[in-house]
Amino acid sequence: MNKREPKSRVVRELVLRVRCTADERAAWLRKSRAQERSLSDYARHVLSTEPMQRRARPPEIDPVLLAAVGRAGSNLNQIARAINTDRKAGRAIDLLAMCTLLMTLDRQLAEIVAEHSR
């Protein structure tokens, strides 16, 4: 298996303040948005010699699908919370019931994704 080295993340702590007119700021924002960048990224590129790297645009997601997956995630969190509460209280956990619940949730998620993949 080919493992990649994790990229070291650059932490930018300093803030550069620039005085400008409202028109200048609006023009800079238009230029940065035309290149699908934040104003900070755009200014950093213009002020340095670093080439600007393109970011992949995230795919468009159907809001109905996102809400359905969110509800399923909420159900999963409730199941995990109940298991952890019972375990900490020393109560026996019905593994068969938990397995059944998780399989039902898995089936529901598969149906949701299949319905929105058509």
Side-chain angles (χ1 to χ4, degrees):
M1 210 180 276
N2 186 9
K3 289 195 173 189
R4 292 184 180 176
E5 291 291 321
K7 283 187 175 180
S8 60
R9 185 174 173 101
V10 176
V11 179
R12 294 183 169 98
E13 297 173 347
L14 300 177
V15 176
L16 175 65
R17 291 181 53 182
V18 178
R19 293 183 188 274
C20 62
T21 65
D23 290 339
E24 287 173 325
R25 186 174 188 280
W28 296 339
L29 279 171
R30 275 193 307 278
K31 289 178 182 180
S32 67
R33 289 182 181 146
Q35 294 191 19
E36 298 176 357
R37 306 303 279 172
S38 68
L39 184 54
S40 293
D41 283 344
Y42 178 74
R44 197 174 300 111
H45 168 70
V46 170
L47 294 172
S48 69
T49 58
E50 294 177 22
M52 190 176 289
Q53 296 177 351
R54 271 278 202 220
R55 285 188 190 152
R57 176 174 276 189
E60 293 292 323
I61 298 176
D62 181 3
V64 175
L65 172 63
L66 194 58
V69 170
R71 285 190 300 274
S74 178
N75 290 343
L76 182 60
N77 285 337
Q78 290 174 11
I79 292 168
R81 187 176 301 117
I83 291 171
N84 288 330
T85 301
D86 285 351
R87 187 178 52 85
K88 287 179 183 175
R91 290 189 286 264
I93 298 171
D94 185 352
L95 294 179
L96 186 58
M98 290 302 116
C99 190
T100 303
L101 278 172
L102 291 174
M103 287 173 54
T104 302
L105 186 58
D106 183 53
R107 192 175 327 107
Q108 288 173 348
L109 272 173
E111 289 171 4
I112 291 167
V113 170
E115 183 179 311
H116 284 83
S117 297
R118 297 176 191 146

